[in-house]
Structures are given as structure tokens and as C-alpha cells.
Amino acid sequence: MSDTLEAGYRRVLMLLPKQYWADHAEEMLGVLMDGAKPGQRRPKAREVLSVAMLAMRLRFAVGDPNRPGRMAGDIMRRAVLAYLIFGFGLLVQVDAYGGRSRYALIPVVVEASIIASLAFGWSLIGRVLCVVYAGGLIQHEHPWSYWYHVSLGDQVEILLHFLALAAAVLVFHRRAPRLPGTNWWLLSWAGITVAFWLRGKSIRYMYALDISNTPALAALICATAAIFALRHARTSPVWPAALALAGLPIRLRSRRGWIGIFGSVLLRNVLSTTPICPLSGAGGATSVAALSATWGATVTTQFSAS
Amino acid sequence: MFLILTALIDKPRHGYGIVQEVRQITGGRVDLRVGTLYGALDRLAAEGLVEQDRDEIESGRLRRYYRLTNAGAQALAAEANRMAADAAIAMTRLRDTTTSNGPVGPDLMGGTA
């Protein structure tokens, strides 16, 4: 067996969570190398997929909510629900503005049902609705028909929407614990929805649908998210991490062009190039996490408006 | 799960040994992937049905052997009985159906026709 093959399998095994890797990687490597055919130089795709699936199950604690991967699952569930709630706010904003003449009600009802299902712990219903909604988006929004005519940033934004739905299906699995604080989720959802609805009623042109053009609302949500994250950061990293994750799909393009996710965060926060700069002085990872969580809401604007 | 437990009945085996034994038991029909194997071994160990037996180094590689526990043997026996009962019901109904509708093929009659 070649060293190349062994190195390849070692890289694949790096997908496993740290503790699991420490406990099992060597024996798994032995199994993989024993199963390799003479002269094989690259890892088999089926084995790679198998290890990747195991890694995903371990990291999201699928099938066993008491495993160490529980925290990753907790973070992902909060991140996904927060993302969906912000996305719902943007959808309501577009509808309040009058940006959608067709199918205006259906996405609102379906997204609201998804959020309610996930918040109340009805994971099966929520997951089914996510699949149905993704299918509906493909059917009615048909983004693929103009795929090559939109910018890379817009393509990423569209894919992120599907990614969020896929993530919801994955992390709100059958044995996933119900998210605590249902009332707080519902209250936040209602507040964000009302805020975005009012904003949708007040704007006069489509371009203004981008939340970064309204410093007041963005700053309000940023401040709320920052305070919330800072409060919880003392006891657990789950909430700050979840808000950071929800905010990663931030508005990717800035005035400086395509600079990538983290570059955009740094430029927009540290260098204060946007109207949200009043919060940029908060400093620290938590404030960046909270800020980026807010910007995560902007990614679906154009998609929702289309 | 059933096949892995079956593979461990006679003696402790390491991961690749289990893969080979399962392949042999099933006549090559089941080819366990490493992720599937270790996912199953984790669950079986968590339920106390298998446990680690010993570690050995062979040709510079770690071999971790797993063995069936008493609880695992009992669970396997219970599952085997359940499957045998299900199979018996299926065969009985097939015979009844065959009797009323005519022969449906030698295999369904136990391959003795």
C-alpha cells in the first residue's frame, strides 16, 4: 500500500470530531488500509462518503442527543432558526413593500409554519415543510432559469437559502431536543416581523429593501443581538456561536466589491465602512457574531424580492 | 447491527475482521463501509451489547478487537427468534397462498420442488 493512500485516508479521517478521531482514527485507518486493493493510490469515494456521513452524525449528535456532538447540534439549531426568522422578516418586508405580486401569501404561510414547527418542537412537520418549501422555490421562483445572468453573490445568496432549509432538515432530526425558550423565540419572531413590515411600508424604491440602507433598524437589531449574545456568552458559547453562524451568510458584496465573508465582516465592522458603524466599537468576537447575525438576514433580500 | 453481532459470536474480532466476516456470512451481499461499521459499533457499545476486548499492533497498525457481551448474546438471540418467527409466518402464508392459487415457484416452497 502506498504512503499516498495512507495520507489520503488520514486526511479523510480528519473530518471526524477531535475526541472521536483521537479514540478511533488509528484503528479505522487500519480497516481502510486493509480493505484497499493492491495498487490503490487514492481513497475510495464510497469510503470517503461513509466517513463523512459518520462525522456529520457525530458532530450533530444524530441518533444520540447525549454525545459530545450535542453542542454542535444546539448551535446549529439556534443558528438555523434565527436565520429563518430573519429571512421571514425580510420576506414580510418585501411583501409589505409590494415587491411580490404572485405567490405572495404562500411563502409567508409556509415559512411561518416552518418556524412555528421548529420552535414548538414539531420537528417532523418542520422538516417536511422545509422539503416542500425548497421544492416550491425551485418550481415557482425558478432561479435556475436565469442562473447565469445573476452575479456570483446572488447565486451564493440563493444557494444559502436552500442550504438553510437543508440544514434545518438535518439538525432538527427526530431525536433532537426541543429548543428551550419557545416564548422568547416567538416574541423575537413577532418583533422582527413587525419591524420589517413597518420598514417595508415605509420604503419607496426596491433598492432600499437592502437592510444596510436603513441604519436605524439595523442598529436596533444589532444592539439587541449583541446584548443577547453577551449575556449568554458568560455561561455558554452556544448562543454567540449560533448567532455568528447565522450571520456568516452576510451580505457578501460591499462597496469594495467581492471580498468574501470574513473580509466583509472585518471591513464593515473594524473599518466602519457602513451605516452600521456605531456598533463597530463593541469589539470582540461576540460583537462581531451578533453583528454578523443581523447581516445574515440580508442575504435573502434579493431572492425574496425576485 | 444483527450481522455485526453475529460476526462476533464465535470470537472477538477487529474492525476489518468484522467486515470480512459479515461479507462471508452474507455471501458478499453486504459490504460494510468503515463509517457504517464504526457508527454501529458505537451504538452497540453504548447499549452494552459489545465491548472492547484488547488492542494489538499488527504490521505497525492498531487492531482493536471487539467482543460480544452477555447482553449482546441475549439481544442477538431475541432478535434471531423474532426474525425466525416472522420468517415462519411468511412461509406459512406463502404455502397457504400457493395451495389455493397454484404453485408460485420452487424457491418459495423451500427450494425442494
Side-chain angles (χ1 to χ4, degrees):
Chain A
M1 295 302 158
S2 69
D3 291 341
T4 311
L5 179 61
E6 181 171 334
Y9 275 134
R10 282 190 183 281
R11 278 196 296 273
V12 171
L13 291 168
M14 293 296 285
L15 292 170
L16 296 167
K18 189 176 178 182
Q19 187 59 50
Y20 196 89
W21 179 87
D23 292 341
H24 295 289
E26 283 302 317
E27 60 172 308
M28 290 175 75
L29 179 66
V31 174
L32 289 166
M33 294 301 290
D34 285 342
K37 292 176 180 172
Q40 182 183 333
R41 295 180 56 81
R42 291 183 178 178
K44 292 178 188 171
R46 286 189 301 176
E47 296 290 12
V48 172
L49 183 64
S50 166
V51 172
M53 292 298 290
L54 175 64
M56 200 158 59
R57 289 178 65 87
L58 291 167
R59 288 185 185 281
F60 296 132
V62 175
D64 184 358
N66 297 317
R67 315 189 61 105
R70 163 78 182 271
M71 183 180 285
D74 285 345
I75 291 169
M76 279 297 292
R77 279 184 283 278
R78 284 164 174 78
V80 167
L81 192 51
Y83 179 89
L84 291 175
I85 286 175
F86 280 113
F88 181 80
L90 289 163
L91 190 63
V92 169
Q93 174 186 260
V94 173
D95 285 344
Y97 167 74
R100 297 168 66 91
S101 56
R102 297 171 64 208
Y103 315 111
L105 187 61
I106 293 175
V108 172
V109 171
V110 176
E111 282 206 17
S113 303
I114 290 171
I115 292 167
S117 301
L118 299 181
F120 281 110
W122 306 327
S123 59
L124 179 60
I125 298 172
R127 293 160 70 199
V128 170
L129 286 171
C130 283
V131 174
V132 170
Y133 188 40
L137 288 175
I138 293 170
Q139 180 70 25
H140 293 296
E141 306 286 356
H142 48 80
W144 326 121
S145 62
Y146 52 86
W147 188 249
Y148 294 106
H149 301 289
V150 298
S151 66
L152 179 61
D154 291 344
Q155 290 177 349
V156 170
E157 289 168 9
I158 291 169
L159 288 177
L160 281 171
H161 204 69
F162 288 101
L163 191 62
L165 293 172
V169 172
L170 179 67
V171 299
F172 285 92
H173 53 80
R174 184 166 52 91
R175 297 177 66 178
R178 178 179 169 178
L179 281 175
T182 305
N183 290 341
W184 282 106
W185 280 109
L186 297 179
L187 193 63
S188 306
W189 182 21
I192 287 168
T193 302
V194 170
F196 277 101
W197 185 80
L198 289 173
R199 185 172 182 279
K201 285 293 184 188
S202 66
I203 57 181
R204 298 183 180 281
Y205 54 99
M206 183 66 87
Y207 179 69
L209 283 169
D210 188 333
I211 189 175
S212 64
N213 289 311
T214 309
L217 178 59
L220 177 66
I221 297 173
C222 280
T224 307
I227 292 168
F228 189 78
L230 284 168
R231 272 192 60 196
H232 285 78
R234 289 181 299 180
T235 55
S236 165
V238 168
W239 264 112
L243 289 173
L245 198 58
L248 278 180
I250 60 171
R251 187 166 182 270
L252 301 175
R253 293 162 303 163
S254 74
R255 295 171 190 170
R256 294 163 188 257
W258 180 264
I259 53 177
I261 295 172
F262 292 103
S264 178
V265 170
L266 289 173
L267 281 175
R268 282 169 170 267
N269 286 277
V270 180
L271 303 181
S272 305
T273 58
T274 74
I276 313 179
C277 63
L279 281 177
S280 65
T286 305
S287 87
V288 171
L291 286 165
S292 59
T294 302
W295 283 336
T298 66
V299 301
T300 55
T301 301
Q302 286 183 312
F303 184 47
S304 300
S306 65
Chain B
M1 298 275 206
F2 181 84
L3 292 171
I4 291 172
L5 291 176
T6 304
L8 293 173
I9 288 176
D10 55 344
K11 62 179 182 181
R13 296 181 195 278
H14 54 72
Y16 189 63
I18 296 171
V19 172
Q20 286 179 308
E21 188 66 11
V22 166
R23 196 178 293 148
Q24 186 181 339
I25 291 169
T26 61
R29 193 166 37 85
V30 176
D31 194 12
L32 283 177
R33 299 287 139 208
V34 69
T36 310
L37 170 67
Y38 279 89
L41 282 174
D42 276 352
R43 288 196 289 278
L44 292 170
E47 293 170 16
L49 305 183
V50 301
E51 61 188 7
Q52 290 182 17
D53 185 71
R54 64 186 187 278
D55 287 351
E56 289 182 4
I57 303 293
E58 291 178 22
S59 306
R61 298 200 187 286
L62 174 67
R63 305 266 195 223
R64 181 163 290 155
Y65 285 74
Y66 295 86
R67 66 166 175 262
L68 196 64
T69 63
N70 289 335
Q74 289 172 6
L76 180 60
E79 182 66 7
N81 283 331
R82 190 191 62 75
M83 291 170 72
D86 290 348
I89 291 170
M91 292 307 295
T92 302
R93 292 188 178 183
L94 282 168
R95 283 194 195 96
D96 293 346
T97 306
T98 307
T99 306
S100 58
N101 296 340
V104 292
D107 288 345
L108 294 179
M109 296 301 290
T112 57

mmCIF file of all heavy atoms in Angstrom, chain B residues 12-50:
data_model
loop_
_atom_site.group_PDB
_atom_site.id
_atom_site.type_symbol
_atom_site.label_atom_id
_atom_site.label_comp_id
_atom_site.label_asym_id
_atom_site.label_seq_id
_atom_site.Cartn_x
_atom_site.Cartn_y
_atom_site.Cartn_z
ATOM 1 N N PRO B 12 -13.724 -12.766 19.497
ATOM 2 C CA PRO B 12 -13.552 -11.317 19.285
ATOM 3 C C PRO B 12 -12.887 -11.056 17.938
ATOM 4 O O PRO B 12 -12.047 -11.849 17.491
ATOM 5 C CB PRO B 12 -12.632 -10.894 20.433
ATOM 6 C CG PRO B 12 -12.766 -11.961 21.461
ATOM 7 C CD PRO B 12 -13.008 -13.227 20.703
ATOM 8 N N ARG B 13 -13.302 -9.972 17.310
ATOM 9 C CA ARG B 13 -12.712 -9.614 16.016
ATOM 10 C C ARG B 13 -12.403 -8.131 15.981
ATOM 11 O O ARG B 13 -13.071 -7.336 16.642
ATOM 12 C CB ARG B 13 -13.677 -9.937 14.867
ATOM 13 C CG ARG B 13 -13.979 -11.401 14.697
ATOM 14 C CD ARG B 13 -14.931 -11.626 13.523
ATOM 15 N NE ARG B 13 -15.498 -12.964 13.578
ATOM 16 C CZ ARG B 13 -14.883 -14.050 13.133
ATOM 17 N NH1 ARG B 13 -13.683 -13.962 12.585
ATOM 18 N NH2 ARG B 13 -15.459 -15.232 13.236
ATOM 19 N N HIS B 14 -11.406 -7.794 15.170
ATOM 20 C CA HIS B 14 -11.114 -6.369 14.953
ATOM 21 C C HIS B 14 -11.990 -5.846 13.813
ATOM 22 O O HIS B 14 -12.734 -6.634 13.179
ATOM 23 C CB HIS B 14 -9.635 -6.145 14.666
ATOM 24 C CG HIS B 14 -9.089 -6.960 13.531
ATOM 25 N ND1 HIS B 14 -9.391 -6.705 12.216
ATOM 26 C CD2 HIS B 14 -8.257 -8.035 13.528
ATOM 27 C CE1 HIS B 14 -8.766 -7.568 11.444
ATOM 28 N NE2 HIS B 14 -8.065 -8.395 12.224
ATOM 29 N N GLY B 15 -11.899 -4.556 13.559
ATOM 30 C CA GLY B 15 -12.807 -3.920 12.604
ATOM 31 C C GLY B 15 -12.822 -4.593 11.241
ATOM 32 O O GLY B 15 -13.889 -4.956 10.724
ATOM 33 N N TYR B 16 -11.635 -4.804 10.661
ATOM 34 C CA TYR B 16 -11.609 -5.413 9.333
ATOM 35 C C TYR B 16 -12.050 -6.877 9.389
ATOM 36 O O TYR B 16 -12.643 -7.390 8.441
ATOM 37 C CB TYR B 16 -10.207 -5.297 8.719
ATOM 38 C CG TYR B 16 -10.183 -5.718 7.270
ATOM 39 C CD1 TYR B 16 -10.920 -5.019 6.325
ATOM 40 C CD2 TYR B 16 -9.443 -6.816 6.855
ATOM 41 C CE1 TYR B 16 -10.928 -5.404 5.002
ATOM 42 C CE2 TYR B 16 -9.432 -7.207 5.532
ATOM 43 C CZ TYR B 16 -10.179 -6.492 4.606
ATOM 44 O OH TYR B 16 -10.179 -6.882 3.299
ATOM 45 N N GLY B 17 -11.770 -7.521 10.530
ATOM 46 C CA GLY B 17 -12.238 -8.893 10.708
ATOM 47 C C GLY B 17 -13.760 -8.963 10.680
ATOM 48 O O GLY B 17 -14.338 -9.891 10.102
ATOM 49 N N ILE B 18 -14.397 -7.974 11.283
ATOM 50 C CA ILE B 18 -15.868 -7.932 11.262
ATOM 51 C C ILE B 18 -16.364 -7.716 9.838
ATOM 52 O O ILE B 18 -17.307 -8.373 9.388
ATOM 53 C CB ILE B 18 -16.383 -6.806 12.189
ATOM 54 C CG1 ILE B 18 -16.009 -7.104 13.645
ATOM 55 C CG2 ILE B 18 -17.886 -6.643 12.056
ATOM 56 C CD1 ILE B 18 -16.289 -5.960 14.607
ATOM 57 N N VAL B 19 -15.705 -6.818 9.123
ATOM 58 C CA VAL B 19 -16.098 -6.568 7.723
ATOM 59 C C VAL B 19 -16.018 -7.851 6.906
ATOM 60 O O VAL B 19 -16.941 -8.203 6.162
ATOM 61 C CB VAL B 19 -15.185 -5.477 7.099
ATOM 62 C CG1 VAL B 19 -15.448 -5.346 5.602
ATOM 63 C CG2 VAL B 19 -15.387 -4.144 7.792
ATOM 64 N N GLN B 20 -14.917 -8.573 7.091
ATOM 65 C CA GLN B 20 -14.735 -9.820 6.327
ATOM 66 C C GLN B 20 -15.771 -10.873 6.717
ATOM 67 O O GLN B 20 -16.322 -11.576 5.863
ATOM 68 C CB GLN B 20 -13.332 -10.367 6.576
ATOM 69 C CG GLN B 20 -12.235 -9.581 5.868
ATOM 70 C CD GLN B 20 -10.867 -10.159 6.169
ATOM 71 O OE1 GLN B 20 -10.508 -10.363 7.323
ATOM 72 N NE2 GLN B 20 -10.110 -10.431 5.119
ATOM 73 N N GLU B 21 -16.012 -10.979 8.021
ATOM 74 C CA GLU B 21 -16.951 -11.997 8.494
ATOM 75 C C GLU B 21 -18.370 -11.702 8.006
ATOM 76 O O GLU B 21 -19.086 -12.618 7.586
ATOM 77 C CB GLU B 21 -16.915 -12.047 10.034
ATOM 78 C CG GLU B 21 -17.696 -13.196 10.638
ATOM 79 C CD GLU B 21 -17.101 -14.562 10.313
ATOM 80 O OE1 GLU B 21 -15.969 -14.627 9.798
ATOM 81 O OE2 GLU B 21 -17.801 -15.578 10.557
ATOM 82 N N VAL B 22 -18.754 -10.444 8.053
ATOM 83 C CA VAL B 22 -20.091 -10.069 7.569
ATOM 84 C C VAL B 22 -20.205 -10.362 6.076
ATOM 85 O O VAL B 22 -21.227 -10.866 5.598
ATOM 86 C CB VAL B 22 -20.380 -8.583 7.863
ATOM 87 C CG1 VAL B 22 -21.595 -8.097 7.084
ATOM 88 C CG2 VAL B 22 -20.582 -8.362 9.347
ATOM 89 N N ARG B 23 -19.134 -10.091 5.353
ATOM 90 C CA ARG B 23 -19.141 -10.376 3.915
ATOM 91 C C ARG B 23 -19.332 -11.881 3.679
ATOM 92 O O ARG B 23 -20.076 -12.300 2.802
ATOM 93 C CB ARG B 23 -17.816 -9.899 3.309
ATOM 94 C CG ARG B 23 -17.827 -9.781 1.795
ATOM 95 C CD ARG B 23 -16.503 -9.262 1.291
ATOM 96 N NE ARG B 23 -16.249 -7.879 1.680
ATOM 97 C CZ ARG B 23 -15.049 -7.367 1.919
ATOM 98 N NH1 ARG B 23 -13.980 -8.130 1.836
ATOM 99 N NH2 ARG B 23 -14.924 -6.104 2.230
ATOM 100 N N GLN B 24 -18.655 -12.667 4.503
ATOM 101 C CA GLN B 24 -18.750 -14.124 4.344
ATOM 102 C C GLN B 24 -20.134 -14.632 4.738
ATOM 103 O O GLN B 24 -20.723 -15.465 4.040
ATOM 104 C CB GLN B 24 -17.684 -14.792 5.201
ATOM 105 C CG GLN B 24 -17.613 -16.305 4.975
ATOM 106 C CD GLN B 24 -16.561 -16.955 5.851
ATOM 107 O OE1 GLN B 24 -15.647 -16.287 6.323
ATOM 108 N NE2 GLN B 24 -16.699 -18.247 6.080
ATOM 109 N N ILE B 25 -20.657 -14.111 5.853
ATOM 110 C CA ILE B 25 -21.985 -14.549 6.321
ATOM 111 C C ILE B 25 -23.046 -14.303 5.256
ATOM 112 O O ILE B 25 -23.925 -15.125 5.032
ATOM 113 C CB ILE B 25 -22.368 -13.787 7.617
ATOM 114 C CG1 ILE B 25 -21.488 -14.229 8.777
ATOM 115 C CG2 ILE B 25 -23.838 -13.996 7.968
ATOM 116 C CD1 ILE B 25 -21.632 -13.330 9.991
ATOM 117 N N THR B 26 -22.937 -13.166 4.604
ATOM 118 C CA THR B 26 -23.973 -12.769 3.642
ATOM 119 C C THR B 26 -23.634 -13.178 2.216
ATOM 120 O O THR B 26 -24.342 -12.783 1.281
ATOM 121 C CB THR B 26 -24.173 -11.243 3.679
ATOM 122 O OG1 THR B 26 -22.935 -10.613 3.311
ATOM 123 C CG2 THR B 26 -24.605 -10.768 5.050
ATOM 124 N N GLY B 27 -22.576 -13.919 2.049
ATOM 125 C CA GLY B 27 -22.191 -14.333 0.703
ATOM 126 C C GLY B 27 -21.803 -13.156 -0.178
ATOM 127 O O GLY B 27 -22.060 -13.177 -1.391
ATOM 128 N N GLY B 28 -21.217 -12.143 0.432
ATOM 129 C CA GLY B 28 -20.777 -10.979 -0.336
ATOM 130 C C GLY B 28 -21.867 -9.958 -0.599
ATOM 131 O O GLY B 28 -21.640 -8.939 -1.244
ATOM 132 N N ARG B 29 -23.060 -10.221 -0.081
ATOM 133 C CA ARG B 29 -24.188 -9.309 -0.320
ATOM 134 C C ARG B 29 -24.023 -8.004 0.455
ATOM 135 O O ARG B 29 -24.408 -6.943 -0.020
ATOM 136 C CB ARG B 29 -25.482 -10.019 0.102
ATOM 137 C CG ARG B 29 -26.763 -9.390 -0.346
ATOM 138 C CD ARG B 29 -27.917 -10.368 -0.156
ATOM 139 N NE ARG B 29 -27.808 -11.197 1.043
ATOM 140 C CZ ARG B 29 -28.210 -10.820 2.257
ATOM 141 N NH1 ARG B 29 -28.716 -9.632 2.435
ATOM 142 N NH2 ARG B 29 -28.099 -11.641 3.293
ATOM 143 N N VAL B 30 -23.455 -8.091 1.646
ATOM 144 C CA VAL B 30 -23.280 -6.897 2.478
ATOM 145 C C VAL B 30 -21.795 -6.587 2.602
ATOM 146 O O VAL B 30 -21.013 -7.438 3.032
ATOM 147 C CB VAL B 30 -23.890 -7.105 3.880
ATOM 148 C CG1 VAL B 30 -23.614 -5.896 4.762
ATOM 149 C CG2 VAL B 30 -25.386 -7.358 3.770
ATOM 150 N N ASP B 31 -21.433 -5.381 2.185
ATOM 151 C CA ASP B 31 -20.049 -4.941 2.270
ATOM 152 C C ASP B 31 -20.023 -3.698 3.161
ATOM 153 O O ASP B 31 -20.354 -2.601 2.716
ATOM 154 C CB ASP B 31 -19.528 -4.618 0.859
ATOM 155 C CG ASP B 31 -18.022 -4.491 0.847
ATOM 156 O OD1 ASP B 31 -17.383 -4.874 1.844
ATOM 157 O OD2 ASP B 31 -17.481 -3.999 -0.160
ATOM 158 N N LEU B 32 -19.657 -3.873 4.405
ATOM 159 C CA LEU B 32 -19.725 -2.764 5.367
ATOM 160 C C LEU B 32 -18.698 -1.695 5.040
ATOM 161 O O LEU B 32 -17.526 -1.999 4.785
ATOM 162 C CB LEU B 32 -19.458 -3.276 6.785
ATOM 163 C CG LEU B 32 -20.580 -4.021 7.507
ATOM 164 C CD1 LEU B 32 -20.068 -4.511 8.862
ATOM 165 C CD2 LEU B 32 -21.771 -3.111 7.704
ATOM 166 N N ARG B 33 -19.130 -0.457 5.059
ATOM 167 C CA ARG B 33 -18.206 0.678 4.953
ATOM 168 C C ARG B 33 -17.708 1.017 6.351
ATOM 169 O O ARG B 33 -18.398 0.767 7.345
ATOM 170 C CB ARG B 33 -18.910 1.892 4.362
ATOM 171 C CG ARG B 33 -19.440 1.696 2.975
ATOM 172 C CD ARG B 33 -18.337 1.659 1.950
ATOM 173 N NE ARG B 33 -18.589 0.623 0.963
ATOM 174 C CZ ARG B 33 -17.646 -0.017 0.290
ATOM 175 N NH1 ARG B 33 -16.391 0.260 0.491
ATOM 176 N NH2 ARG B 33 -17.951 -0.935 -0.577
ATOM 177 N N VAL B 34 -16.551 1.647 6.391
ATOM 178 C CA VAL B 34 -15.941 1.894 7.702
ATOM 179 C C VAL B 34 -16.797 2.830 8.562
ATOM 180 O O VAL B 34 -16.929 2.636 9.778
ATOM 181 C CB VAL B 34 -14.492 2.426 7.534
ATOM 182 C CG1 VAL B 34 -14.500 3.839 6.953
ATOM 183 C CG2 VAL B 34 -13.755 2.412 8.862
ATOM 184 N N GLY B 35 -17.411 3.821 7.941
ATOM 185 C CA GLY B 35 -18.272 4.736 8.702
ATOM 186 C C GLY B 35 -19.496 4.027 9.252
ATOM 187 O O GLY B 35 -19.914 4.246 10.393
ATOM 188 N N THR B 36 -20.060 3.158 8.444
ATOM 189 C CA THR B 36 -21.221 2.378 8.884
ATOM 190 C C THR B 36 -20.825 1.459 10.035
ATOM 191 O O THR B 36 -21.536 1.347 11.042
ATOM 192 C CB THR B 36 -21.753 1.531 7.712
ATOM 193 O OG1 THR B 36 -21.913 2.363 6.572
ATOM 194 C CG2 THR B 36 -23.074 0.889 8.063
ATOM 195 N N LEU B 37 -19.675 0.801 9.865
ATOM 196 C CA LEU B 37 -19.215 -0.146 10.882
ATOM 197 C C LEU B 37 -19.025 0.550 12.227
ATOM 198 O O LEU B 37 -19.533 0.091 13.257
ATOM 199 C CB LEU B 37 -17.905 -0.796 10.417
ATOM 200 C CG LEU B 37 -17.185 -1.630 11.466
ATOM 201 C CD1 LEU B 37 -18.004 -2.866 11.810
ATOM 202 C CD2 LEU B 37 -15.800 -2.031 10.989
ATOM 203 N N TYR B 38 -18.302 1.661 12.201
ATOM 204 C CA TYR B 38 -17.991 2.292 13.488
ATOM 205 C C TYR B 38 -19.193 3.024 14.077
ATOM 206 O O TYR B 38 -19.310 3.126 15.298
ATOM 207 C CB TYR B 38 -16.755 3.185 13.348
ATOM 208 C CG TYR B 38 -15.506 2.343 13.421
ATOM 209 C CD1 TYR B 38 -14.962 1.795 12.276
ATOM 210 C CD2 TYR B 38 -14.946 2.018 14.638
ATOM 211 C CE1 TYR B 38 -13.863 0.955 12.334
ATOM 212 C CE2 TYR B 38 -13.841 1.182 14.713
ATOM 213 C CZ TYR B 38 -13.299 0.657 13.560
ATOM 214 O OH TYR B 38 -12.222 -0.188 13.634
ATOM 215 N N GLY B 39 -20.068 3.498 13.235
ATOM 216 C CA GLY B 39 -21.320 4.058 13.741
ATOM 217 C C GLY B 39 -22.127 2.985 14.479
ATOM 218 O O GLY B 39 -22.649 3.211 15.575
ATOM 219 N N ALA B 40 -22.169 1.792 13.884
ATOM 220 C CA ALA B 40 -22.908 0.683 14.502
ATOM 221 C C ALA B 40 -22.202 0.205 15.765
ATOM 222 O O ALA B 40 -22.856 -0.056 16.784
ATOM 223 C CB ALA B 40 -23.042 -0.461 13.500
ATOM 224 N N LEU B 41 -20.876 0.091 15.703
ATOM 225 C CA LEU B 41 -20.144 -0.358 16.892
ATOM 226 C C LEU B 41 -20.335 0.616 18.052
ATOM 227 O O LEU B 41 -20.447 0.207 19.214
ATOM 228 C CB LEU B 41 -18.657 -0.497 16.566
ATOM 229 C CG LEU B 41 -18.243 -1.757 15.789
ATOM 230 C CD1 LEU B 41 -16.765 -1.686 15.409
ATOM 231 C CD2 LEU B 41 -18.517 -3.019 16.607
ATOM 232 N N ASP B 42 -20.380 1.905 17.735
ATOM 233 C CA ASP B 42 -20.626 2.909 18.789
ATOM 234 C C ASP B 42 -21.961 2.669 19.469
ATOM 235 O O ASP B 42 -22.064 2.697 20.699
ATOM 236 C CB ASP B 42 -20.641 4.313 18.174
ATOM 237 C CG ASP B 42 -19.241 4.858 18.037
ATOM 238 O OD1 ASP B 42 -18.312 4.221 18.556
ATOM 239 O OD2 ASP B 42 -19.091 5.915 17.396
ATOM 240 N N ARG B 43 -22.981 2.476 18.649
ATOM 241 C CA ARG B 43 -24.320 2.290 19.220
ATOM 242 C C ARG B 43 -24.390 0.980 20.019
ATOM 243 O O ARG B 43 -24.971 0.933 21.099
ATOM 244 C CB ARG B 43 -25.371 2.291 18.100
ATOM 245 C CG ARG B 43 -25.596 3.663 17.502
ATOM 246 C CD ARG B 43 -26.870 3.715 16.694
ATOM 247 N NE ARG B 43 -26.772 2.967 15.452
ATOM 248 C CZ ARG B 43 -26.222 3.443 14.336
ATOM 249 N NH1 ARG B 43 -25.745 4.679 14.312
ATOM 250 N NH2 ARG B 43 -26.171 2.716 13.235
ATOM 251 N N LEU B 44 -23.771 -0.065 19.470
ATOM 252 C CA LEU B 44 -23.787 -1.350 20.177
ATOM 253 C C LEU B 44 -23.032 -1.259 21.497
ATOM 254 O O LEU B 44 -23.461 -1.818 22.517
ATOM 255 C CB LEU B 44 -23.174 -2.436 19.287
ATOM 256 C CG LEU B 44 -23.994 -2.805 18.045
ATOM 257 C CD1 LEU B 44 -23.180 -3.703 17.112
ATOM 258 C CD2 LEU B 44 -25.274 -3.517 18.450
ATOM 259 N N ALA B 45 -21.910 -0.540 21.472
ATOM 260 C CA ALA B 45 -21.137 -0.370 22.716
ATOM 261 C C ALA B 45 -21.915 0.473 23.721
ATOM 262 O O ALA B 45 -21.914 0.179 24.921
ATOM 263 C CB ALA B 45 -19.786 0.265 22.398
ATOM 264 N N ALA B 46 -22.597 1.503 23.227
ATOM 265 C CA ALA B 46 -23.382 2.359 24.123
ATOM 266 C C ALA B 46 -24.519 1.585 24.778
ATOM 267 O O ALA B 46 -24.894 1.859 25.920
ATOM 268 C CB ALA B 46 -23.938 3.554 23.343
ATOM 269 N N GLU B 47 -25.036 0.598 24.054
ATOM 270 C CA GLU B 47 -26.128 -0.223 24.608
ATOM 271 C C GLU B 47 -25.605 -1.430 25.383
ATOM 272 O O GLU B 47 -26.403 -2.242 25.874
ATOM 273 C CB GLU B 47 -27.043 -0.688 23.467
ATOM 274 C CG GLU B 47 -27.792 0.458 22.808
ATOM 275 C CD GLU B 47 -28.507 0.018 21.534
ATOM 276 O OE1 GLU B 47 -28.676 -1.202 21.344
ATOM 277 O OE2 GLU B 47 -28.878 0.897 20.742
ATOM 278 N N GLY B 48 -24.276 -1.545 25.472
ATOM 279 C CA GLY B 48 -23.683 -2.637 26.238
ATOM 280 C C GLY B 48 -23.750 -3.981 25.549
ATOM 281 O O GLY B 48 -23.611 -5.023 26.207
ATOM 282 N N LEU B 49 -23.928 -3.990 24.244
ATOM 283 C CA LEU B 49 -24.052 -5.260 23.521
ATOM 284 C C LEU B 49 -22.689 -5.773 23.031
ATOM 285 O O LEU B 49 -22.526 -6.973 22.824
ATOM 286 C CB LEU B 49 -25.008 -5.108 22.333
ATOM 287 C CG LEU B 49 -26.408 -4.573 22.682
ATOM 288 C CD1 LEU B 49 -27.301 -4.516 21.453
ATOM 289 C CD2 LEU B 49 -27.064 -5.434 23.758
ATOM 290 N N VAL B 50 -21.765 -4.866 22.830
ATOM 291 C CA VAL B 50 -20.380 -5.264 22.526
ATOM 292 C C VAL B 50 -19.451 -4.438 23.416
ATOM 293 O O VAL B 50 -19.856 -3.401 23.947
ATOM 294 C CB VAL B 50 -20.001 -5.029 21.037
ATOM 295 C CG1 VAL B 50 -20.911 -5.803 20.108
ATOM 296 C CG2 VAL B 50 -20.013 -3.555 20.694
#
